[in-house]
Amino acid sequence: QVQLVESGGGLVQPGGSLRLSCAASGSPTDYYTIGWFRQAPGKEREGVSCTESGGNTYYGDSVKGRFAISSDDAKNTMYLQMNSLKPEDTAVYFCAAALSPAPCVVVIHTDGVGLDVWGQGTQVTVSS
């Protein structure tokens, strides 16, 4: 069973960058899909980015061109590099994994249907 732990959140000024990490207790090869979601106070959870083990990736329109998802198999860790951060990026960010095939187009647009394991979340605050 994969367990996920996010880290790397914090306070950053607008225009700054952060890199979130999602450490898996098992090998990344044990999952088919990794998704990043975020939830701001008073708002619904939003799919941010997703990657499938076959290499397909997805980015939400609000982060496209600014965020990048990657992984380091040797460290069993997935990353979300966030650049050009805006105040509206402020939210708790979660990573989640699917242990069976789950296309990103389904994962993102169904608020995580198909994802089996979720991390506890890490707070990102973008403010001057």
Side-chain angles (χ1 to χ4, degrees), residues 33-127:
T33 299
I34 286 284
W36 284 95
F37 293 77
R38 67 186 181 186
Q39 188 163 25
K43 294 187 177 181
E44 294 185 350
R45 190 166 60 193
E46 174 189 10
V48 173
S49 181
C50 179
T51 184
E52 299 171 19
S53 56
N56 184 42
T57 58
Y58 169 91
Y59 297 96
D61 288 340
S62 62
V63 306
K64 200 171 296 182
R66 300 188 296 122
F67 290 13
I69 194 170
S70 64
S71 65
D72 184 334
D73 290 354
K75 295 182 178 180
N76 291 349
T77 301
M78 286 66 68
Y79 302 100
L80 184 68
Q81 178 68 42
M82 307 187 297
N83 300 323
S84 302
L85 283 162
K86 305 175 182 180
E88 51 263 44
D89 294 319
T90 295
V92 178
Y93 284 71
F94 302 88
C95 64
L99 305 180
S100 57
C104 283
V105 66
V106 173
V107 163
I108 290 296
H109 294 293
T110 62
D111 190 32
V113 169
L115 295 174
D116 303 293
V117 184
W118 289 78
Q120 83 289 349
T122 185
Q123 175 71 46
V124 172
T125 302
V126 185
S127 175

